[in-house]
């Protein structure tokens, strides 16, 4: 009887000490990327297209914290300039955020635009706004691009 009593006591203590279960979810989606921009170094208008793949992982740690893991990569994004120059626009960025129950935050995504010819290369920057509601649902809104010459 003493062993059963101690076993039940230890089991009860373990239930009090053990953290709640951890949960994780991941969402992956691909969105088209396309439009026009201008090379800020030579004022060449560029029409570009391709897609961006976004992978968002959310882990709830059981203690009220949420950990957001995000990876964004451009998939075959390229452009053709009005002066005949071709461009590739490779980009990949990962970031992690540790957040409370519900939150919003903004992250800056940086891309490179590389000329396949003599035109100058340049960099782009985009603000990326994300919201995670109290249920762990993630929404993301990309902002406007800003560019500068890279030589």
């Amino acid at each position: 009887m003493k062993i059963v009593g101690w076993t039940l006591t230890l089991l009860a203590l373990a239930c009090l000490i053990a953290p709640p279960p951890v949960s994780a979810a991941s969402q992956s989606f691909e969105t088209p990327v396309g439009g026009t921009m201008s090379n800020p170094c030579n004022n060449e208008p560029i029409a570009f297209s391709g897609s961006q793949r976004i992978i968002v992982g959310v882990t709830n740690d059981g203690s009220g914290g949420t950990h957001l893991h995000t990876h964004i990569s451009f998939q075959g994004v390229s452009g053709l300039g009005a002066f005949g120059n071709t461009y590739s626009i490779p980009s990949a960025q990962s970031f992690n955020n540790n957040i409370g129950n519900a939150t919003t935050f903004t992250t800056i995504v940086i891309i490179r635009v590389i000329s396949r010819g003599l035109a100058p290369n340049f960099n782009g920057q985009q603000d990326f706004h994300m919201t995670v509601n109290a249920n762990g649902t993630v929404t993301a809104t990309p902002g406007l691009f800003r560019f500068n010459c890279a030589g």
Side-chain angles (χ1 to χ4, degrees):
M1 209 51 173
K2 273 187 159 184
I3 295 175
V4 172
W6 277 107
T7 304
L8 291 175
T9 302
L10 289 174
L11 183 59
L13 284 173
C15 288
L16 292 174
I17 294 170
V22 173
S23 65
S26 181
Q27 296 177 10
S28 175
F29 51 97
E30 194 163 315
T31 60
V33 174
T36 58
M37 63 180 147
S38 182
N39 183 330
C41 310
N42 65 0
N43 293 319
E44 178 181 25
I46 302 167
F48 66 95
S49 63
S51 63
Q52 66 180 353
R53 183 165 184 75
I54 303 170
I55 301 169
V56 180
V58 179
T59 304
N60 296 311
D61 63 17
S63 298
T66 300
H67 310 281
L68 183 65
H69 318 283
T70 306
H71 180 77
I72 301 170
S73 61
F74 279 5
Q75 307 290 310
V77 179
S78 61
L80 178 61
F83 304 159
N85 296 303
T86 57
Y87 297 86
S88 60
I89 309 172
S91 180
Q93 185 162 343
S94 296
F95 48 92
N96 297 304
N97 295 87
N98 300 313
I99 51 183
N101 287 335
T103 191
T104 61
F105 58 91
T106 300
T107 300
I108 298 171
V109 176
I110 297 177
I111 63 167
R112 279 204 68 175
V113 180
I114 301 170
S115 168
R116 295 184 194 152
L118 298 176
N121 302 329
F122 60 99
N123 295 320
Q125 180 177 311
Q126 181 182 32
D127 296 335
F128 198 75
H129 180 77
M130 294 185 136
T131 301
V132 181
N133 70 18
N135 296 324
T137 303
V138 179
T139 59
T141 307
L144 296 175
F145 281 105
R146 295 180 300 280
F147 299 102
N148 66 326
C149 296

